Amino acid sequence: MTYSPPKLLTFEQFLVEYGDNPRYELIDGELRDMEPTGPHEEVSGNITGRIYAEILRSNLNWLIPKTCLIKPPAAEATALRPDVIVLDKAKLSNEPLWQKEPIICNGNTIQLVAEVVSTNWQDDYARKVEEYAFLQIPEYWIVDFRGLGGLQFIGNPKQPTFTICQLVNGVYQQQQYRLGDTIFSSLFPNLQLKLDDIMP
């Protein structure tokens, strides 16, 4: 039996074949199926609604696009598709692809990304932590509502965990929250949020 490695895609090939399909993203040329389920989408929607209400209440010039890809400048064959992304409207004019496609290339346009963890949890806890920090995204939320992450990331026993990664001197400082905990976001200091509120 011979092993044939997966076919690697370029960013451009990915856009043509999968750019409109919210199920897939590209990491180092490898197609990743994000395996969204109903509960996964419910949690994403709950997060989006709460953040958007806070954006409106705080009168911030930010938006949450329905779909959006991130093309990290240092990674040629990578197209990340966060579950929730908050963009600074004022900086969209500096985005080279935005007028034609919902693609962000500059990290400073992004205020926050949130990933709802599914079976490919390694990407959310490892690769994306590095990628989003490199892009200088101020906050990254990892919402592990089913407690799927590895023990080194969410502890033992595994349980639903909400991790806020806050960028400090180019590195994410991580704070974990469990069911019942009040979550604190420095980006949205007045946001009233608990993991319980967004569970499916």
Side-chain angles (χ1 to χ4, degrees):
M1 186 168 154
T2 58
Y3 169 75
S4 49
K7 176 188 152 200
L8 297 181
L9 298 173
T10 65
F11 178 78
E12 290 72 22
Q13 288 170 321
F14 173 81
L15 275 190
V16 170
E17 294 181 41
Y18 302 98
D20 293 335
N21 190 332
R23 187 178 181 105
Y24 297 102
E25 62 185 355
L26 187 70
I27 295 182
D28 295 331
E30 288 187 24
L31 191 65
R32 295 286 216 280
D33 185 342
M34 302 191 328
E35 302 174 10
T37 61
H40 177 282
E41 294 302 289
E42 186 177 344
V43 171
S44 295
N46 288 340
I47 294 166
T48 300
R50 287 177 179 275
I51 293 174
Y52 197 68
E54 192 62 24
I55 288 171
L56 293 175
R57 202 176 64 70
S58 303
N59 202 26
L60 298 166
N61 192 28
W62 297 350
L63 70 102
I64 302 174
K66 181 171 171 274
T67 59
C68 186
L69 286 171
I70 300 172
K71 182 185 187 306
E76 280 304 305
T78 296
L80 303 173
R81 193 185 304 272
D83 291 305
V84 181
I85 184 168
V86 178
L87 304 177
D88 185 335
K89 284 186 191 178
K91 295 183 178 167
L92 287 174
S93 58
N94 299 323
E95 287 293 339
L97 304 174
W98 182 255
Q99 292 305 318
K100 293 184 178 175
E101 301 198 60
I103 299 171
I104 298 297
C105 301
N106 303 318
N108 67 359
T109 303
I110 306 167
Q111 295 298 314
L112 175 141
V113 286
E115 297 286 2
V116 178
V117 175
S118 52
T119 52
N120 58 348
W121 56 265
Q122 296 91 337
D123 289 337
D124 297 329
Y125 280 106
R127 176 58 191 268
K128 290 181 183 179
V129 168
E130 290 180 10
E131 205 71 70
Y132 293 154
F134 184 76
L135 285 165
Q136 300 285 298
I137 297 170
E139 267 189 29
Y140 170 33
W141 296 0
I142 306 171
V143 186
D144 194 347
F145 73 98
R146 289 184 289 182
L148 296 174
L151 297 177
Q152 71 271 34
F153 298 111
I154 63 171
N156 192 2
K158 288 187 174 190
Q159 59 186 303
T161 305
F162 191 120
T163 305
I164 289 195
C165 306
Q166 205 169 9
L167 198 67
V168 178
N169 298 323
V171 177
Y172 279 130
Q173 304 297 314
Q174 298 187 16
Q175 178 65 50
Q176 292 187 335
Y177 300 90
R178 313 288 188 195
L179 289 169
D181 295 343
T182 299
I183 294 166
F184 175 75
S185 160
S186 62
L187 203 60
F188 298 105
N190 299 315
L191 179 65
Q192 299 293 312
L193 182 64
K194 290 184 177 181
L195 183 52
D196 314 54
D197 302 330
I198 56 170
M199 293 291 279

